[in-house]
């Protein structure tokens, strides 16, 4: 009887909630994927150039495209992309506050973890993290972050240090 109950729990868990492999598979918001060229996204407008962590040259883009105006019935307030070497490494999506957003995310990716210090929920894989939290009183923010692009930034920094060291 114990084995049947345990098997039933595993089957129900698999049916009710996906796992983080779905987050890796989707790799972003709608058709905006982490790691792709920002030029491949229609409706991008350069907002500003800046230094990520005060050292990596990056660009911030606003996205205005009807394809990203809603998530189901929930209105999207804004979509912003951060790009390093023209590759998208962060996607920020601000939506109207609606409990169905969190329920939908948990139905796709399973139960989230909670960071008490940052007051955010998150799902994490070896390739990316999806953060979800409040954005003011009336909005929620989803932030997708690419680990491979951040790793590329660090490797580029290390190469610069090596080039300086070789020049002595």
């Amino acid at each position: 009887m114990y084995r049947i109950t345990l098997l039933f729990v595993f089957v129900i868990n698999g049916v009710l909630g996906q796992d983080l492999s779905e987050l890796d598979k989707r790799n972003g918001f709608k058709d905006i994927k982490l790691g792709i060229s920002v030029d491949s996204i229609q409706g991008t407008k350069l907002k500003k150039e800046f230094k990520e962590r005060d050292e990596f040259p990056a660009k911030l883009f606003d996205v205005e495209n009807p394809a990203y105006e809603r998530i189901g019935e929930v209105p999207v307030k804004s979509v912003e992309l951060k790009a390093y070497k023209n590759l998208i490494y962060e996607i920020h999506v601000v939506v109207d506050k609606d409990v169905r957003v969190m329920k939908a995310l948990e139905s796709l990716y399973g139960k989230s973890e909670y960071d008490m210090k940052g007051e955010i929920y998150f799902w994490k894989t070896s390739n990316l993290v999806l953060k979800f939290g409040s954005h003011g009183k009336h909005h929620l923010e989803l932030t997708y972050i690419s680990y491979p692009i951040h790793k590329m930034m660090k490797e580029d920094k290390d190469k610069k240090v090596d080039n300086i060291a070789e020049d002595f």
Side-chain angles (χ1 to χ4, degrees):
M1 182 67 179
Y2 174 75
R3 289 182 186 166
I4 293 172
T5 304
L6 191 58
L7 178 63
F8 180 74
V9 168
F10 284 123
V11 169
I12 292 298
N13 191 35
V15 169
L16 293 179
Q18 296 287 328
D19 61 84
L20 294 174
S21 64
E22 184 67 20
L23 181 59
D24 266 336
K25 181 178 135 189
R26 290 178 183 244
N27 194 36
F29 174 68
K30 297 192 178 219
D31 66 341
I32 303 173
K33 306 298 181 195
L34 294 167
I36 66 170
S37 171
V38 73
D39 297 334
S40 66
I41 305 301
Q42 291 186 343
T44 58
K45 292 181 184 175
L46 180 63
K47 190 172 183 178
K48 71 177 181 176
E49 294 186 26
F50 69 102
K51 295 270 187 180
E52 182 70 53
R53 298 184 189 153
D54 291 326
E55 59 184 317
F56 303 107
K59 294 179 181 179
L60 179 65
F61 295 87
D62 277 328
V63 181
E64 293 179 18
N65 184 324
Y68 313 123
E69 289 179 350
R70 302 185 94 57
I71 301 174
E73 298 174 0
V74 181
V76 172
K77 181 180 177 194
S78 67
V79 177
E80 292 182 335
L81 309 175
K82 287 185 181 179
Y84 174 71
K85 293 188 173 181
N86 214 40
L87 302 174
I88 298 170
Y89 69 91
E90 285 190 23
I91 305 166
H92 299 275
V93 181
V94 178
V95 301
D96 283 355
K97 193 170 271 189
D98 190 316
V99 296
R100 295 175 296 177
V101 175
M102 180 63 160
K103 289 179 181 179
L105 289 169
E106 286 193 332
S107 75
L108 282 172
Y109 309 131
K111 186 126 175 79
S112 63
E113 295 184 51
Y114 184 70
D115 173 19
M116 287 182 23
K117 184 179 176 184
E119 296 181 359
I120 57 164
Y121 295 91
F122 67 95
W123 295 264
K124 185 177 181 179
T125 73
S126 59
N127 292 315
L128 71 136
V129 65
L130 169 56
K131 297 179 180 182
F132 176 80
S134 192
H135 185 82
K137 279 187 172 183
H138 305 290
H139 297 95
L140 300 169
E141 181 177 39
L142 291 89
T143 304
Y144 300 81
I145 302 170
S146 168
Y147 290 137
I149 304 297
H150 278 275
K151 184 178 175 186
M152 179 193 303
M153 290 176 183
K154 184 182 180 327
E155 289 170 355
D156 288 350
K157 179 183 175 183
D158 292 345
K159 286 178 193 173
K160 288 179 184 177
V161 170
D162 290 344
N163 289 342
I164 292 170
E166 289 175 11
D167 207 27
F168 277 103

